[in-house]
Amino acid sequence: MCRWAAYLGEAIFLEEIVTAPSHSLIVQSRDAREAKSPTNADGFGLAWYGGRPEPGLYRDILPAWSDPNLKSLCQQIRSGLFLAHVRASTGGGTSRMNCHPFISGRWSFMHNGQIHGFERIRRGLENSLSDAVYDRRSGSTDSELFFLLMIDEGLSRDPHGAATRAANRVLDASRRAGLDPALKLTAAFSDGKALHAVRYATDDHAPTLYTSAFGRGRCIVSEPFDREGGEWQTIPPSSFVTIARDGMVVRPFTPALAELALAS
Amino acid sequence: MCRWAAYLGEAIFLEEIVTAPSHSLIVQSRDAREAKSPTNADGFGLAWYGGRPEPGLYRDILPAWSDPNLKSLCQQIRSGLFLAHVRASTGGGTSRMNCHPFISGRWSFMHNGQIHGFERIRRGLENSLSDAVYDRRSGSTDSELFFLLMIDEGLSRDPHGAATRAANRVLDASRRAGLDPALKLTAAFSDGKALHAVRYATDDHAPTLYTSAFGRGRCIVSEPFDREGGEWQTIPPSSFVTIARDGMVVRPFTPALAELALAS
Amino acid sequence: MCRWAAYLGEAIFLEEIVTAPSHSLIVQSRDAREAKSPTNADGFGLAWYGGRPEPGLYRDILPAWSDPNLKSLCQQIRSGLFLAHVRASTGGGTSRMNCHPFISGRWSFMHNGQIHGFERIRRGLENSLSDAVYDRRSGSTDSELFFLLMIDEGLSRDPHGAATRAANRVLDASRRAGLDPALKLTAAFSDGKALHAVRYATDDHAPTLYTSAFGRGRCIVSEPFDREGGEWQTIPPSSFVTIARDGMVVRPFTPALAELALAS
Amino acid sequence: MCRWAAYLGEAIFLEEIVTAPSHSLIVQSRDAREAKSPTNADGFGLAWYGGRPEPGLYRDILPAWSDPNLKSLCQQIRSGLFLAHVRASTGGGTSRMNCHPFISGRWSFMHNGQIHGFERIRRGLENSLSDAVYDRRSGSTDSELFFLLMIDEGLSRDPHGAATRAANRVLDASRRAGLDPALKLTAAFSDGKALHAVRYATDDHAPTLYTSAFGRGRCIVSEPFDREGGEWQTIPPSSFVTIARDGMVVRPFTPALAELALAS
């Protein structure tokens, strides 16, 4: 499991979220409160949008707290839309290719969660990718593969539908492998315009997700980075959140139900 | 603060101490029980004696738990005398040069503890080094500097005396800087023949130190790596331990008293 | 393209080949003479056999010349059978998972060469792997994939046949993709008992391969590491070499011919 | 010796100089034309000025050509004043602390050159630093030490004088150590407003320095990054260059003469 934070709004220095708050993402890399493990030190990453349609990407394998480059970048870079992540591996070695966010074209994606039994369904899911998307696979995590499945399912046209269909491909593959489908998915992704997030699990323990206004913008995070200042709102499980310049919309996210409806 | 483990005896695979036990040093890098901080993830290192009088040295800046090289080396290398360390920085960046053990000629050294107020006495202590030893300074930690002070004080002729005099140089420098001397020193060091360790603090909280027979040898460690099997003996504060092929000797280690005696 | 050196014989310190000679592998990482590129600085690796049936593995992404760990390991580790490699990437990022040697069980493998048009046949070749072997894929290089193809083709029972059949799978895949098959393959591999090497190309420019007696053993290398001392023998293209404790055997290695024979 | 490039003018993407040109700094890291060594692969660094008075800093120990983070940062970051460096070590290990640029407060500094006999005068020069500056020493290179000497000599008030006096301190220390003073110094440094550079050597082989208009700005570089487009002007040895928004001034830089005048 991991910790992450994302922001959309008026451009701010990344440090205002990543390093400066009392319970910043950097602090969470060492001492998270609501994560399965307090330590999230298997690498980190930033994707931010600025002067180009495609995001910048900075990832490394050190613990976030011990990288002076990260601190300097967060002090210098100002962005109106960014994603930041600290990783606790649930499988997949510690390498830059396995660090979040992942990017593809204009899209960025990061994840806290896990596909249970991934090693048993990985090959089938990889085989199911279209050629164009298969070639973008560079690491070995379940998270990157989920992102690629979403791209395959039409992420750029229909983010909500693509995430739903990707989740269903995972659940189907689990069933076909004789597994009890078990997916935890608390993810954020963006095309440089809107910021989407999803909170979902097949059981009652979907990883936490919070949002709050932040200056002239809005944050969405794994856990609050500042107990004092923020007015944090819990996003309920089975939600799909879209934050745009003009506001936030929360919709149901119910892959299994969608599938049941389809089957009936 | 840090965690470390050292062994002298019949040659064993390093993994028997570093990676295999239930509460191995690798586990302690993530979840130490008796350390100030449970996380010791600011790099790690191994020094081992084998086919040469000088030790081999392997250090890197990743958390010990996420380095596949470390795991492989511990599976392959067999040694009758080695030191292993996982670091939690109290100052000094995360770089290989700041990772323990430090080596110089045949000597290796690793440390758990801290010189309080180090930034205020660092320059004076560095200036006090002899030319030959000054040039061996490659990092910026208080620990490496303590090792160099010991070398300057005749480590190879008189380990106990050198450690005592080095501690006194630190305490003197603190006093001259107008500080209340505060030193925590739980260290291990070796010349490839005997294995020495010291447990000392100027207050009542000297970092823990334990020893136990282990197969046809003996371990000395920051904290037990195996609750079940071992018969761990606590080394009391203000002790200097020397482990050799023919047994273990524990002597008092009382830098301040030595100095008082000298002064009177 | 890359540079590599391998040794089988009486145990020697790795440094005798890797770091000490006038034109050692370390020197070749900076200034190779017979390689396509003089610089081979996209990582390095060692696999060595010692106290266990499985090899030890040490790989990192720095240039070989700038890694103090590598120097220390080569000074300390003594082995009667080892493979060492410095990498010049022809594709695939600089990551530990893409550094040679690759290992699987008792086998180790390293390569200098290239599968031309790899990006167009990669997916088909990966799909053709058996499930057991597919899961061992951890990087993205053509070299690792060739090793996995060999394992799939029965490497442990029949090294010569497995290498031949693996090469044919590559050539077939190229043809099916409408490419002119082009393969350069100068590789070494071992199961901890014998040391095999192959020199092959579909054109007239098979990457060089040399062998020489070395002390009480034998080396096989990309290019001589010592112009003065050694009596280097060139291995001709289309050769398969097997070095064992009792001598060296050189056989033809002719994948395309084997296939023609089969087809007729 | 190393390669570097600096720019002052209207804000541009860093990639326009660092990665995009036909003979960009990245290409020079692998294949420099006018450097002592074609390979400059012992780390790299960027310092850039943007939203704050202090520069951002990104340094790492990989060869510049193999770092995907560097590529992405250069694509995203736009700056009107930046310094970029690829390192070929002449001493001092490969660590981030030894990579250029070095920064202190608002100042950044990078260097191509060498203090000959540095190991014999290093201690004396370090001892001569003021306390405030001594504590900023974090690596072990002659280059960082030269920067600290400049700060000690009043860099912020008088860049030309500070560089002259720092060079003289080095030459004096060499003489006192019984060495024939030998200094090669082709450096760039900035306070975020003006961009200074110096070309100097005690012999006839001062490392090269070129300048050219570049879009709505000006570059100053170790060697031209684009043979076709640029109209490169050679800066003669013993020159001190200051580039500001309103133009470039070239003055003599003659440490030894200044000293002779002083002595007479």
Side-chain angles (χ1 to χ4, degrees):
Chain A
M1 302 291 186
C2 312
R3 297 288 89 181
W4 57 253
Y7 170 85
L8 183 147
E10 203 163 89
I12 59 172
F13 285 113
L14 272 49
E15 69 170 9
E16 295 187 42
I17 285 170
V18 180
T19 63
S22 62
H23 191 63
S24 72
L25 201 65
I26 294 286
V27 175
Q28 293 174 37
S29 74
R30 193 192 277 281
D31 195 19
R33 287 179 187 133
E34 307 190 24
K36 216 169 143 187
S37 134
T39 308
N40 295 274
D42 297 321
F44 64 84
L46 295 175
W48 72 99
Y49 294 87
R52 296 186 187 273
E54 298 81 21
L57 184 64
Y58 176 62
R59 302 187 293 182
D60 212 344
I61 59 174
L62 290 174
W65 71 72
S66 67
D67 183 48
N69 287 326
L70 177 62
K71 202 175 161 193
S72 186
L73 291 170
C74 289
Q75 277 171 345
Q76 291 296 326
I77 296 173
R78 218 194 301 242
S79 170
L81 176 49
F82 60 88
L83 290 74
H85 188 274
V86 293
R87 182 171 180 242
S89 172
T90 57
T94 298
S95 76
R96 287 187 181 180
M97 267 90 110
N98 285 347
C99 288
H100 309 219
F102 304 97
I103 66 173
S104 177
R106 300 186 177 195
W107 283 92
S108 54
F109 172 88
M110 63 184 176
H111 178 219
N112 170 34
Q114 191 171 7
I115 299 174
H116 288 274
F118 179 60
E119 62 292 347
R120 292 191 44 199
I121 60 172
R122 177 186 155 202
R123 182 171 192 169
L125 287 172
E126 288 179 349
N127 272 350
S128 76
L129 294 172
S130 67
D131 278 357
V133 167
Y134 186 88
D135 286 343
R136 295 185 207 163
R137 176 89 162 141
S138 62
S140 61
T141 61
D142 52 357
S143 300
E144 184 197 32
L145 184 53
F146 193 87
F147 178 42
L148 298 179
L149 290 170
M150 284 170 63
I151 294 172
D152 238 13
E153 292 290 350
L155 178 60
S156 56
R157 294 183 313 276
D158 171 17
H160 181 274
T164 304
R165 290 185 293 272
N168 271 324
R169 271 166 77 172
V170 170
L171 300 176
D172 283 349
S174 293
R175 263 180 231 111
R176 279 198 308 273
L179 299 170
D180 214 9
L183 171 65
K184 285 183 193 294
L185 176 70
T186 296
F189 39 104
S190 178
D191 60 355
K193 290 174 189 153
L195 172 59
H196 308 280
V198 60
R199 181 182 182 197
Y200 176 74
T202 47
D203 62 18
D204 293 340
H205 304 290
T208 52
L209 185 63
Y210 296 86
T211 186
S212 171
F214 186 80
R216 295 169 181 249
R218 175 163 288 280
C219 283
I220 188 156
V221 300
S222 295
E223 67 182 64
F225 50 75
D226 185 346
R227 293 282 178 194
E228 303 76 34
E231 304 254 327
W232 296 97
Q233 168 188 349
T234 302
I235 303 289
S238 299
S239 299
F240 188 95
V241 183
T242 298
I243 300 170
R245 304 280 162 188
D246 57 356
M248 175 172 69
V249 176
V250 183
R251 283 183 285 173
F253 181 78
T254 52
L257 289 181
E259 193 180 17
L260 285 177
L262 208 71
S264 66
Chain B
M1 301 290 188
C2 310
R3 298 286 89 182
W4 57 253
Y7 170 85
L8 183 146
E10 203 163 89
I12 59 173
F13 285 112
L14 272 51
E15 69 170 9
E16 294 188 43
I17 285 170
V18 179
T19 62
S22 62
H23 192 63
S24 72
L25 200 64
I26 295 285
V27 175
Q28 293 175 36
S29 74
R30 194 192 278 280
D31 195 19
R33 287 181 187 132
E34 306 190 26
K36 215 167 144 189
S37 135
T39 308
N40 296 274
D42 297 321
F44 63 85
L46 294 175
W48 73 99
Y49 295 88
R52 297 186 187 272
E54 298 80 20
L57 183 65
Y58 176 63
R59 302 187 293 183
D60 211 344
I61 58 174
L62 290 174
W65 72 72
S66 67
D67 183 49
N69 286 326
L70 177 63
K71 202 175 161 192
S72 186
L73 290 170
C74 288
Q75 278 171 346
Q76 290 297 325
I77 296 173
R78 218 194 302 241
S79 170
L81 175 50
F82 60 87
L83 290 74
H85 187 274
V86 293
R87 182 172 179 243
S89 172
T90 57
T94 298
S95 76
R96 287 187 181 180
M97 268 90 111
N98 284 347
C99 289
H100 309 220
F102 304 98
I103 66 172
S104 178
R106 299 185 177 196
W107 283 92
S108 54
F109 171 88
M110 64 184 174
H111 177 219
N112 170 33
Q114 191 171 6
I115 299 175
H116 288 275
F118 179 60
E119 62 290 348
R120 291 191 45 199
I121 60 172
R122 179 185 156 201
R123 182 171 192 169
L125 287 172
E126 288 179 349
N127 272 350
S128 77
L129 293 172
S130 68
D131 279 357
V133 167
Y134 186 88
D135 287 344
R136 294 184 208 164
R137 177 88 161 142
S138 61
S140 60
T141 61
D142 53 357
S143 301
E144 184 198 32
L145 184 53
F146 193 86
F147 178 41
L148 297 179
L149 290 170
M150 284 169 62
I151 294 172
D152 238 14
E153 292 290 350
L155 178 60
S156 57
R157 296 183 311 277
D158 172 17
H160 181 273
T164 304
R165 289 185 293 272
N168 271 324
R169 272 166 77 171
V170 170
L171 300 177
D172 283 349
S174 293
R175 265 181 230 108
R176 279 198 307 273
L179 300 170
D180 214 10
L183 171 65
K184 286 183 192 297
L185 177 70
T186 296
F189 39 103
S190 177
D191 61 355
K193 290 173 190 156
L195 172 60
H196 309 279
V198 61
R199 182 183 182 196
Y200 176 74
T202 46
D203 62 16
D204 293 341
H205 304 289
T208 51
L209 185 63
Y210 296 86
T211 186
S212 171
F214 186 80
R216 294 169 183 249
R218 175 163 288 280
C219 283
I220 188 156
V221 300
S222 295
E223 67 182 61
F225 50 75
D226 186 347
R227 293 282 178 194
E228 304 74 35
E231 305 254 327
W232 295 98
Q233 169 189 348
T234 302
I235 302 288
S238 298
S239 298
F240 188 96
V241 183
T242 298
I243 300 169
R245 303 281 164 190
D246 57 357
M248 176 173 68
V249 176
V250 182
R251 283 183 285 173
F253 181 77
T254 52
L257 289 182
E259 194 181 13
L260 284 177
L262 207 70
S264 64
Chain C
M1 302 290 188
C2 310
R3 297 287 90 181
W4 57 253
Y7 170 84
L8 183 148
E10 203 164 89
I12 59 172
F13 285 112
L14 271 51
E15 70 170 8
E16 294 187 42
I17 286 170
V18 180
T19 62
S22 63
H23 191 62
S24 71
L25 201 63
I26 294 285
V27 175
Q28 293 175 36
S29 73
R30 193 191 279 281
D31 195 19
R33 288 181 187 133
E34 306 191 26
K36 217 171 143 186
S37 135
T39 308
N40 296 273
D42 297 322
F44 64 84
L46 295 174
W48 73 99
Y49 295 87
R52 297 186 186 272
E54 299 80 20
L57 183 65
Y58 176 62
R59 304 187 291 184
D60 211 344
I61 59 174
L62 290 174
W65 72 72
S66 66
D67 184 48
N69 286 326
L70 177 63
K71 202 175 163 195
S72 186
L73 290 170
C74 289
Q75 277 170 345
Q76 291 296 326
I77 296 173
R78 217 194 301 244
S79 169
L81 175 50
F82 60 87
L83 290 74
H85 187 274
V86 294
R87 183 171 180 243
S89 172
T90 58
T94 298
S95 75
R96 287 187 181 180
M97 266 90 110
N98 284 347
C99 288
H100 310 219
F102 304 98
I103 66 172
S104 178
R106 299 185 177 193
W107 283 91
S108 54
F109 172 88
M110 63 185 176
H111 177 221
N112 170 33
Q114 191 170 8
I115 299 175
H116 289 274
F118 179 59
E119 63 291 346
R120 290 190 45 199
I121 60 171
R122 177 185 156 203
R123 182 171 193 170
L125 287 171
E126 288 180 348
N127 272 349
S128 77
L129 293 172
S130 68
D131 279 356
V133 167
Y134 186 88
D135 286 343
R136 293 184 209 164
R137 177 88 161 141
S138 61
S140 60
T141 61
D142 53 357
S143 301
E144 184 198 33
L145 183 54
F146 193 87
F147 178 41
L148 297 180
L149 290 170
M150 285 169 64
I151 293 173
D152 237 14
E153 292 289 349
L155 177 60
S156 56
R157 294 184 312 276
D158 172 17
H160 182 273
T164 305
R165 289 185 293 271
N168 272 323
R169 272 166 75 171
V170 170
L171 300 176
D172 283 350
S174 293
R175 264 180 231 111
R176 278 197 308 272
L179 300 169
D180 215 10
L183 171 65
K184 285 182 191 297
L185 177 71
T186 296
F189 39 103
S190 177
D191 61 354
K193 290 173 189 154
L195 171 61
H196 309 279
V198 60
R199 180 183 183 198
Y200 176 74
T202 47
D203 62 17
D204 292 342
H205 304 289
T208 52
L209 185 64
Y210 295 86
T211 186
S212 172
F214 186 80
R216 294 172 182 247
R218 176 163 289 279
C219 283
I220 187 155
V221 300
S222 295
E223 65 182 65
F225 50 75
D226 185 348
R227 292 282 179 194
E228 305 73 34
E231 304 255 325
W232 296 98
Q233 169 189 348
T234 301
I235 303 289
S238 298
S239 298
F240 188 96
V241 183
T242 299
I243 300 170
R245 304 280 163 188
D246 58 356
M248 177 173 68
V249 177
V250 182
R251 284 182 284 172
F253 180 78
T254 53
L257 289 182
E259 192 181 17
L260 285 176
L262 208 69
S264 67
Chain D
M1 302 292 188
C2 312
R3 297 287 89 182
W4 57 253
Y7 170 84
L8 183 147
E10 203 163 88
I12 59 172
F13 285 112
L14 271 51
E15 70 171 8
E16 294 187 42
I17 286 170
V18 180
T19 62
S22 63
H23 191 62
S24 72
L25 200 64
I26 294 286
V27 175
Q28 293 174 36
S29 74
R30 193 192 278 282
D31 195 19
R33 288 181 186 132
E34 306 189 25
K36 216 169 144 187
S37 135
T39 308
N40 295 274
D42 297 321
F44 64 84
L46 295 174
W48 73 98
Y49 295 87
R52 297 187 187 271
E54 299 80 21
L57 183 64
Y58 176 61
R59 304 187 291 184
D60 212 345
I61 59 175
L62 290 174
W65 72 73
S66 67
D67 184 48
N69 286 326
L70 178 63
K71 202 175 162 195
S72 186
L73 291 171
C74 289
Q75 277 171 344
Q76 290 296 326
I77 296 174
R78 217 195 300 243
S79 169
L81 175 49
F82 60 87
L83 290 74
H85 187 274
V86 294
R87 182 170 180 244
S89 172
T90 58
T94 299
S95 76
R96 288 187 180 179
M97 267 91 109
N98 285 347
C99 287
H100 311 220
F102 305 97
I103 66 172
S104 178
R106 298 184 178 196
W107 283 92
S108 54
F109 172 88
M110 63 184 176
H111 177 221
N112 170 34
Q114 191 171 8
I115 299 174
H116 288 274
F118 179 59
E119 62 291 348
R120 291 191 45 199
I121 59 172
R122 178 186 156 202
R123 182 172 192 168
L125 287 172
E126 288 179 347
N127 271 350
S128 76
L129 293 172
S130 68
D131 278 356
V133 166
Y134 186 88
D135 286 344
R136 295 184 207 164
R137 177 90 160 139
S138 61
S140 60
T141 61
D142 53 356
S143 301
E144 184 199 32
L145 183 54
F146 193 87
F147 178 41
L148 297 179
L149 290 170
M150 284 170 64
I151 293 172
D152 238 12
E153 293 289 350
L155 178 60
S156 55
R157 293 184 312 277
D158 171 18
H160 181 274
T164 304
R165 290 186 292 273
N168 271 324
R169 272 166 77 171
V170 170
L171 300 176
D172 284 349
S174 293
R175 264 181 230 109
R176 278 198 309 272
L179 299 170
D180 215 9
L183 172 64
K184 285 184 192 295
L185 176 71
T186 296
F189 39 103
S190 178
D191 60 355
K193 290 173 189 155
L195 172 60
H196 309 279
V198 60
R199 182 183 181 196
Y200 176 74
T202 47
D203 63 17
D204 293 340
H205 304 290
T208 52
L209 185 64
Y210 296 86
T211 186
S212 172
F214 187 80
R216 294 171 181 245
R218 176 163 288 280
C219 283
I220 188 155
V221 300
S222 294
E223 68 183 62
F225 50 75
D226 185 347
R227 294 282 179 194
E228 304 75 35
E231 303 255 326
W232 295 98
Q233 169 189 346
T234 301
I235 303 289
S238 299
S239 298
F240 188 96
V241 184
T242 298
I243 300 170
R245 303 281 164 187
D246 58 357
M248 177 173 68
V249 177
V250 182
R251 283 183 285 174
F253 181 77
T254 54
L257 289 182
E259 193 180 17
L260 285 177
L262 207 70
S264 66

